[in-house]
Amino acid sequence: MPGFEIFGDEERQQVQEVLETGVLMRYGFDGARKGRWKAREFETELSAKLGVKYCHLCSSGTAALSVALAACGIGAGDQVIVPPFTFVATIESLLMAGAVPVFVDIDESLGLDPAAVEAAVTPATKAVLPVHMCGAMVQIDRLKALCERKGVLLIEDACQSVGATFKGKAMGSFGKMGCFSFDPVKTVTCGEGGAVITDDPKLYDLAQAFSDHGHDHVGTDRGLEKHAILGTNFRISELNAAVGLAQLRKLDQMLTIQRRNKAMIKEALTRIPGVTFRSLPDPQGDSATFLSFFLPEEEKTRQAAKALAQAGVDSCFYWYDNNWHYLRQWDHIKTLSLPAKLGIGLTVKAPDYTKVKLPQSDRIMGRLISMQIKLSWSEAQIAQRVEKMVAVLQKSGA
Ligand SMILES: Cc1ncc(COP(=O)(O)O)c(C=O)c1O
């Protein structure tokens, strides 16, 4: 997810403007900052781009998830339905809040399967937290309808999917709150950063206060600001926001390049009989950061991923064996290993995560390869890549 591939004068200029003022904090120092408010500008532009009323920047996507959970009132003992395919941060944020992740199967959209969610919701379910993995969307319309019908909260982890839409509406804008990451390898990067979005003024208020020790941010004297709630420090710095602001302004250009590059490769792979593709509930809305495809069976897929790397086709991820993105390899989470006690064991009995079985997800993940789409590829490089991929995949008996 390659925002870093196109750093240029725009990012340097934005950072320079911050350094000239000497004010690296997003709040206060009104005189010294010469009218430069990079975090605020970023928030205004991102909410306009995503079509939501409010956006609040945080120090990371993980922080954004914690902020969203806190603002939505999810805490000790609350059950939240999550997919087993995500970056561990989604689960960490729940565990740190004392909440209880309930793992439910994914479908070929690589996100929560609405039918499996329907079957898993109980009176104890407080929220459903779908994750839009690898730049595209889950079946968000069905999940939203289901959550409304069942009276549970919908919170979206759109950390990997800035710029993706479903029928023209931004991922992250369907739920009560949506979360984004702008870490070093995301489409839009701040170095480190994240954001929560919402249309609800109360949730926005809670989010911005919670991210900054409870400050209400009213007035111009930080020491005299009020604190209706406890909070912590999940603030973004002006330097990070400045980089992200320049990057955000390049998002449309990045999406155009990604979509073109992906289309060329996908078209070529379509001709290989055993290769099928991730289902996209709205292909037009794919941000195209990855091309995710399936082979007919697990062992052949594992071998093909290795063969692609050996042939010089880089950035092909076999998530099933990856230690960070799929429940199967998360021994530390399954055993709730932490240097100190977790709330989940104290407030409610922790489920035995070592016993969670999700055969439908295993069948999908075991056959999945996701290839990152880069911005810097020339047409000749794409053609070479396609040639190598077709050779490897045909040989692997796909
Ligand atoms: C799906 C998902 N959720 C959350 C995060 C956490 O974001 P960050 O790295 O900014 O903390 C990531 C980052 O990779 C992610 O991919």
Side-chain angles (χ1 to χ4, degrees):
M1 290 169 274
F4 65 82
E5 285 187 79
I6 53 166
F7 283 149
D9 288 342
E10 302 80 5
E11 284 81 358
R12 279 186 278 280
Q13 174 63 29
Q14 288 293 339
V15 170
Q16 188 59 30
E17 285 180 19
V18 174
L19 291 175
E20 277 165 11
T21 66
V23 179
L24 306 189
M25 190 175 184
R26 67 155 301 171
Y27 296 116
F29 302 93
D30 294 30
R33 65 193 316 136
K34 302 183 184 151
R36 292 171 189 171
W37 299 89
K38 299 302 177 189
R40 272 195 205 169
E41 255 187 275
F42 189 142
E43 286 163 355
T44 307
E45 291 190 22
L46 187 63
S47 8
K49 183 145 230 49
L50 302 180
V52 291
K53 292 198 182 123
Y54 305 98
C55 167
H56 181 70
L57 286 183
C58 311
S59 49
S60 68
T62 310
L65 284 157
S66 293
V67 169
L69 294 175
C72 290
I74 291 170
D78 290 331
Q79 291 190 16
V80 179
I81 289 180
V82 283
F85 178 44
T86 179
F87 180 59
V88 279
T90 319
I91 314 306
E92 289 165 351
S93 66
L94 287 168
L95 291 173
M96 298 302 156
V100 183
V102 176
F103 292 99
V104 168
D105 266 321
I106 57 166
D107 58 25
E108 290 203 353
S109 74
L110 306 184
L112 283 173
D113 174 356
V117 174
E118 175 102 45
V121 172
T122 70
T125 308
K126 182 102 183 232
V128 176
L129 206 170
V131 185
H132 306 290
M133 286 299 279
C134 303
M137 74 293 306
V138 307
Q139 298 198 52
I140 195 66
D141 53 343
R142 289 184 59 193
L143 288 173
K144 187 174 166 70
L146 192 160
C147 286
E148 282 168 3
R149 190 160 33 83
K150 300 270 184 185
V152 295
L153 286 165
L154 176 68
I155 301 171
E156 293 172 78
D157 180 338
C159 282
Q160 294 196 2
S161 294
V162 71
T165 53
F166 175 77
K167 299 195 175 155
K169 187 168 163 57
M171 304 330 297
S173 71
F174 288 81
K176 272 277 169 205
M177 293 195 110
C179 304
F180 292 90
S181 165
F182 307 120
D183 78 15
V185 292
K186 293 296 185 287
T187 309
V188 165
T189 181
C190 291
E192 296 288 357
V196 286
I197 59 169
T198 184
D199 280 328
D200 184 327
K202 287 204 188 82
L203 293 184
Y204 166 73
D205 243 14
L206 288 168
Q208 53 104 33
F210 185 76
S211 315
D212 184 24
H213 308 292
H215 277 265
D216 67 359
H217 303 122
V218 175
T220 52
D221 185 338
R222 200 163 154 79
L224 295 181
E225 286 175 13
K226 301 274 190 325
H227 37 65
I229 56 160
L230 267 165
T232 185
N233 180 2
F234 286 140
R235 288 190 310 262
I236 194 162
S237 88
E238 283 288 274
L239 283 175
N240 295 89
V243 175
L245 185 58
Q247 286 262 294
L248 181 62
R249 292 174 180 166
K250 298 178 182 179
L251 177 59
D252 290 341
Q253 177 200 344
M254 292 196 264
L255 294 177
T256 304
I257 300 171
Q258 280 169 187
R259 285 173 177 152
R260 184 202 61 203
N261 290 354
K262 176 171 173 174
M264 283 193 264
I265 301 174
K266 187 169 179 180
E267 202 274 318
L269 298 199
T270 309
R271 286 184 254 122
I272 305 178
V275 174
T276 54
F277 298 94
R278 166 195 189 156
S279 71
L280 292 166
D282 176 12
Q284 306 295 319
D286 178 13
S287 76
T289 54
F290 280 90
L291 172 62
S292 293
F293 55 95
F294 302 107
L295 301 188
E297 48 114 329
E298 180 187 324
E299 198 41 45
K300 279 188 180 156
T301 312
R302 181 175 283 115
Q303 293 313 325
K306 284 191 190 134
L308 285 167
Q310 278 157 7
V313 182
D314 66 348
S315 305
C316 289
F317 295 90
Y318 183 57
W319 305 115
Y320 196 55
D321 286 348
N322 178 299
N323 284 340
W324 297 96
H325 291 82
Y326 188 54
L327 174 68
R328 190 171 90 100
Q329 299 287 81
W330 294 343
D331 293 336
H332 64 316
I333 286 180
K334 289 185 202 166
T335 53
L336 297 175
S337 302
L338 205 82
K341 280 182 191 161
L342 274 177
I344 184 177
L346 300 176
T347 49
V348 287
K349 191 169 176 306
D352 183 352
Y353 290 114
T354 63
K355 296 220 163 72
V356 175
K357 296 265 179 291
L358 297 168
Q360 174 176 312
S361 303
D362 284 347
R363 275 195 302 278
I364 291 167
M365 296 304 297
R367 298 183 297 107
L368 174 70
I369 295 177
S370 298
M371 186 179 73
Q372 199 175 346
I373 303 296
K374 295 197 179 150
L375 298 174
S376 53
W377 291 335
S378 65
E379 282 199 26
Q381 283 170 321
I382 293 176
Q384 266 177 5
R385 176 167 284 262
V386 163
E387 201 178 308
K388 288 179 187 167
M389 289 182 83
V390 170
V392 167
L393 296 175
Q394 273 172 345
K395 202 166 157 205
S396 76

